[in-house]
Amino acid sequence: MIATKITFPPSEVEPFFWKGHQWFVKRDDLIDPRFSGNKLRKLYTLLQTDPHRYTTLISYGGAQSNAMLSLAYLAHLKGWHFIYYVKTLPKWLGDNPTGNLQLALKLGMELVQVPHRDFYDKVDTIRNMCTEDVIFISQGGADKSAKEGIRILAEEILAWQRSNSLTSFTVATPSGTGTTALYLRDYLPKEIDVVTTPVVGDRETLLSQWQQLEPDQALQPKILDHYPKHPFAQPKQEYLQIWQSLKAAGILFDLIYAPKMWLELLTAYHKLKTPILYIHSGGVTGNLSQIEKYRYKGLL
Ligand SMILES: *Cc1c(COP(=O)(O)O)cnc(C)c1O
């Protein structure tokens, strides 16, 4: 069955009591379990696209990426061929794919491994060679086409604000490419604060990603970066503890992005406008391979 238009209802907002504070969590993770929450938002325009418009979807990035898995579902639903470029995998993973990679391959993703040193040249060549029937999506879905889906997310947040008669509050979402945070900032009025934290790289990395995406956007999200930069997706005892504590309080989050954002929110809490609305962007299927890493390092 080829899907022409894929629409979904607004996600719920749940009250969440944790570490002595009342928080609110927007459950974008529950909209469609096949897609991690904000990837579904970012792919909104493509989900509405006529399947006949393209034959092939091409992207690149990490071998366990949430964006990769969401694109694999999208291509599967639309009947498009999906080609995904990764840097040469460690042999154990190539021989025995796990987690998001395993799921994406089962959906028919064609995986192409490229040696590290040639990777970005190769990706650029492919990008420039794309014909009319091919859609090329940048790493992590960092793309202007993500705007429409994030606009709808902002509309839902404003509806929640009205039904709770709030004048001001804070919206929090961790950043990979920073696309979600930047477009939320763009669509929400300035009485509402938008805060984020860089999970890939640091403040400078995030600022340059925003600069590339929207060089003219005056108002940017507030960056919370009390905690030092940490290599992406690498285990850290403190992240694990926060993740376990959140889970014990009743909500399962992802192990890569959420722990750092929650740590930053706890530290900055007294300086932030309350209440705080956390956008749960899913990614929990990626926990499988993250937990393996924690075990391997003896942290779990
Ligand atoms: C992809 C992802 C992010 C980062 O979103 P960006 O728009 O790239 O900043 C945050 N949280 C989760 C769970 C994700 O999967």
Side-chain angles (χ1 to χ4, degrees):
M1 257 295 278
I2 304 255
T4 41
K5 283 197 181 203
I6 299 148
T7 55
F8 38 87
S11 64
E12 303 285 331
V13 173
E14 272 178 20
F16 180 55
F17 192 77
W18 182 67
K19 300 267 185 200
H21 301 299
Q22 179 68 66
W23 313 82
F24 291 89
V25 177
K26 187 153 174 63
R27 301 300 303 266
D28 270 20
D29 58 314
L30 301 180
I31 301 174
D32 184 331
R34 294 171 298 181
F35 295 88
S36 50
N38 69 344
K39 306 305 179 294
L40 187 63
R41 301 285 186 181
K42 296 201 283 189
L43 294 177
Y44 180 83
T45 306
L46 278 178
L47 285 162
Q48 308 310 306
T49 301
D50 179 353
H52 300 105
R53 173 67 189 80
Y54 303 110
T55 62
T56 306
L57 174 67
I58 299 182
S59 190
Y60 63 96
Q64 291 293 1
S65 141
N66 295 331
M68 170 196 73
L69 181 56
S70 297
L71 288 170
Y73 276 121
L74 170 74
H76 184 70
L77 288 168
K78 296 285 181 183
W80 297 334
H81 182 51
F82 177 36
I83 309 173
Y84 190 74
Y85 291 84
V86 290
K87 294 176 185 164
T88 306
L89 300 177
K91 192 171 174 339
W92 60 268
L93 182 60
D95 290 349
N96 246 319
T98 56
N100 285 354
L101 180 61
Q102 184 183 28
L103 293 170
L105 289 168
K106 278 197 188 139
L107 289 164
M109 177 177 82
E110 181 187 336
L111 185 72
V112 182
Q113 300 187 40
V114 180
H116 288 230
R117 61 187 152 75
D118 304 330
F119 190 71
Y120 291 99
D121 284 344
K122 174 80 178 170
V123 162
D124 273 342
T125 311
I126 300 290
R127 188 199 308 261
N128 294 326
M129 273 173 33
C130 284
T131 45
E132 272 285 286
D133 64 317
V134 178
I135 170 100
F136 185 96
I137 298 286
S138 289
Q139 180 159 13
D143 200 286
K144 280 195 199 306
S145 70
K147 269 185 112 158
E148 179 57 13
I150 305 295
R151 187 187 65 75
I152 296 169
L153 171 57
E155 291 296 333
E156 291 180 21
I157 293 172
L158 292 172
W160 175 77
Q161 174 188 29
R162 281 190 300 275
S163 64
N164 290 278
S165 311
L166 298 168
T167 42
S168 72
F169 57 101
T170 298
V171 174
T173 185
S175 281
T177 64
T179 312
T180 308
L182 186 69
Y183 290 145
L184 270 179
R185 177 64 289 168
D186 191 26
Y187 287 120
L188 291 171
K190 61 179 188 312
E191 304 76 58
I192 301 172
D193 277 347
V194 174
V195 301
T196 190
T197 190
V199 178
V200 176
D202 56 11
R203 174 182 292 264
E204 276 63 46
T205 319
L206 192 51
L207 289 172
S208 86
Q209 286 168 170
W210 286 342
Q211 176 65 26
Q212 265 186 344
L213 213 52
E214 293 296 329
D216 299 327
Q217 185 170 319
L219 190 56
Q220 294 190 324
K222 259 186 212 159
I223 299 176
L224 304 179
D225 61 352
H226 173 80
Y227 288 84
K229 159 176 166 180
H230 184 68
F232 183 69
Q234 287 313 302
K236 182 171 169 169
Q237 188 78 60
E238 223 172 355
Y239 289 179
L240 184 66
Q241 280 163 0
I242 279 290
W243 177 80
Q244 285 169 331
S245 149
L246 289 160
K247 191 173 158 198
I251 301 186
L252 182 65
F253 287 92
D254 85 284
L255 248 167
I256 293 180
Y257 295 96
K260 177 146 187 265
M261 186 77 256
W262 282 106
L263 278 169
E264 294 287 356
L265 289 172
L266 273 183
T267 306
Y269 191 83
H270 298 286
K271 290 184 247 162
L272 298 174
K273 285 183 188 167
T274 52
I276 295 170
L277 176 65
Y278 185 96
I279 311 297
H280 191 330
S281 283
V284 295
T285 57
N287 287 352
L288 223 74
S289 52
Q290 275 308 102
I291 285 171
E292 271 176 25
K293 278 193 207 167
Y294 276 90
R295 289 227 171 87
Y296 185 74
K297 293 229 165 165
L299 293 170
L300 199 86

